[in-house]
Amino acid sequence: MKGRVRLLDTRPLRGSRPFRDLWIGSSAAQFGGQIATVAVLAQVWDLTGSPVGTGAIGLATGLPMLLFGLLGGTLADAVDRRTVVRATTAGQLLAAAGLCAQALADNRTVLLLLALVAVASACGALGAPARRTFPVRLLPADQVAAGLALSNVSFQAAMLAGPALAGLIIARWDLPAAYAVQAAAVAVSMLAVIRLPAMPPEGAAPGRGRRRPERGGWRVVLRRPTLWGSLATDLAATLLAMPVALFPLVNEIRFGGDPRTLGLFLSAVAVGGITAGLFSGTVTRCRRGGLLQLAAAGVWGLALAGFGLAGPLWPALVCLAVAGAADTVSVITRGALVQLETPDAFRGRVSSVEHVIGVAGPELGNFRGGLLASVTSAPFALVTGGLSAALAVAAVAAANAPLRAYRTPPPPPAPDRPPHTDKDPVPAAGGDRPAVE
């Protein structure tokens, strides 16, 4: 039994049909999203032949995420969250169909392509806060971290295999086929969402939420040390030590700009993440989630500093794999803590804050790293960034005793909760526990 605990905890898939449906649909959508990302990149490059054009994809994706993310949190705390996700997934399906149609029509207008990308991104941002609240409503409190680990494994697998599959599809059947696969994947996600039980927010105060939605989420975060400490830890790690923008420069300096090596950098991070996910049973059953997140974020920073110092290829890849594993542990523990520590009436808005930090932190971190490397060097930017991140995480740990002491709530005693089976219309919710102040 002890050996099994160390492996991926699959209790959420075995015990909850709604969560299993959600996981299958989300996994399909993630693979489709990776395929579409490569297809859009290839099409924009074909249309413009300019790095400015491919850079505009980031704006078309990132700006709608930031603009609509907080609005999505307001919706998630005002109406049935299943309804929000159904509507936004339908919007993503229409955008995916539009991408397929414009490719079949041999569209030569990059603005149309970017507009469809922006619509898909806006729909995703509107639905993301509501979608983030699903695991805590569909699973018992002691299985929320396990559910997030399963989601993270599918995400890492999509990052690892999706781009390669996209390349094969585009090479053999061209762009319309790639967009068609993405549309089919979103359709699978839509079917999964339709099957979910209703999930209206519990104990919501609609009037207050509508008047000051953005401040509502931030106010809840700032008033709870566990929440602001967890999100500050994530922001410090990504803002100070995000390495992706430096990969091409490191590859050019140390490995002659070989594109295969550049691909290995990205794959190493994904391999580390998948490995940590597959052996995440110990992580998801550990009740010291706050301390575990702090430790993982510190390891992330130190591993990236090691990548900056590593000369040969294999030590560099090992450092990136360690960083990817640490990132997975940090994401799992942070996600569970944020959902369990937030009252259900505010989960949508707090989830939107988490979403914005999750989007802005890596993007700003990549910009910081690129800017610093342009005036110093890539190794210097990596080493100073990684060490700064580790020190910032240590400062959060020193200043935030509630986060260090946080423990995931134990499962209710057996007599108080009936066995959790596929027949349950709405499984026991971890969100019934009041948040710790």
Side-chain angles (χ1 to χ4, degrees):
M1 182 65 180
K2 290 183 179 179
R4 291 179 61 190
V5 169
R6 297 189 181 94
L7 299 177
L8 183 65
D9 188 349
T10 60
R11 288 177 299 162
L13 295 178
R14 291 182 279 112
S16 172
R17 181 197 59 77
F19 179 82
R20 186 165 60 245
D21 289 344
L22 177 67
W23 184 80
I24 292 172
S26 298
S27 299
Q30 286 163 355
F31 271 97
Q34 291 296 320
I35 290 171
T37 296
V38 175
V40 169
L41 187 64
Q43 187 175 0
V44 169
W45 181 258
D46 179 62
L47 291 174
T48 66
S50 166
V52 176
T54 54
I57 300 172
L59 289 177
T61 303
L63 287 180
M65 285 185 178
L66 293 175
L67 293 174
F68 289 92
L70 293 175
L71 178 58
T74 304
L75 289 174
D77 286 341
V79 299
D80 189 328
R81 290 159 183 167
R82 179 185 62 175
T83 302
V84 174
V85 175
R86 281 179 174 178
T88 54
T89 305
Q92 290 176 299
L93 182 57
L94 290 174
L99 286 170
C100 186
Q102 62 86 32
L104 285 170
D106 193 26
N107 167 53
R108 308 307 297 173
T109 305
V110 72
L111 290 179
L112 173 60
L113 175 59
L114 293 179
L116 289 169
V117 170
V119 170
S121 179
C123 290
L126 278 172
R131 189 179 286 272
R132 283 173 181 260
T133 69
F134 285 173
V136 77
R137 293 289 295 272
L138 297 174
L139 297 170
D142 62 311
Q143 294 185 25
V144 171
L148 295 175
L150 288 163
S151 299
N152 189 268
V153 165
S154 67
F155 172 73
Q156 296 287 352
M159 285 188 64
L160 184 63
L165 180 60
L168 292 174
I169 293 173
I170 294 171
R172 187 173 180 86
W173 294 291
D174 213 352
L175 290 169
Y179 290 127
V181 170
Q182 185 225 3
V186 178
V188 171
S189 178
M190 184 70 191
L191 291 174
V193 172
I194 289 173
R195 287 165 56 89
L196 291 177
M199 281 181 278
E202 299 172 352
R208 184 180 301 174
R210 290 192 182 100
R211 283 198 301 268
R212 306 181 76 173
E214 293 86 357
R215 288 188 58 190
W218 287 103
R219 188 162 54 239
V220 173
V221 168
L222 294 175
R223 287 181 176 179
R224 286 169 169 76
T226 48
L227 291 182
W228 72 252
S230 182
L231 294 179
T233 298
D234 183 69
L235 185 61
T238 56
L239 182 61
L240 297 175
M242 200 66 191
V244 176
L246 300 176
F247 284 172
L249 186 54
V250 172
N251 185 41
E252 184 69 31
I253 293 171
R254 292 181 176 167
F255 306 106
D258 190 337
R260 294 171 295 181
T261 308
L262 183 61
L264 286 176
F265 288 168
L266 295 167
S267 295
V269 176
V271 166
I274 290 175
T275 303
L278 292 176
F279 290 88
S280 62
T282 301
V283 172
T284 58
R285 294 174 191 262
C286 176
R287 295 185 58 203
R288 298 296 299 272
L291 197 60
L292 196 57
Q293 186 197 353
L294 290 165
V299 170
W300 156 270
L302 294 176
L304 291 176
F307 171 66
L309 294 172
L313 178 60
W314 285 110
L317 295 179
V318 169
C319 287
L320 289 176
V322 170
D327 181 55
T328 290
V329 173
S330 181
V331 167
I332 292 169
T333 51
R334 184 203 72 225
L337 185 152
V338 169
Q339 292 301 318
L340 291 170
E341 283 294 281
T342 305
D344 190 74
F346 292 93
R347 277 203 183 106
R349 280 166 284 179
V350 171
S351 293
S352 70
V353 173
E354 184 187 13
H355 176 70
V356 168
I357 289 176
V359 170
E363 295 299 331
L364 292 175
N366 278 319
F367 176 74
R368 180 213 62 82
L371 186 64
L372 182 59
S374 69
V375 297
T376 56
S377 68
F380 180 84
L382 284 164
V383 172
T384 57
L387 294 178
S388 297
L391 289 174
V393 169
V396 173
N400 198 313
L403 180 61
R404 297 196 310 270
Y406 172 79
R407 282 176 168 79
T408 302
D416 296 337
R417 185 184 64 182
H420 191 63
T421 68
D422 286 354
K423 296 179 181 180
D424 295 334
V426 182
D432 293 336
R433 181 185 61 82
V436 177
E437 291 287 349

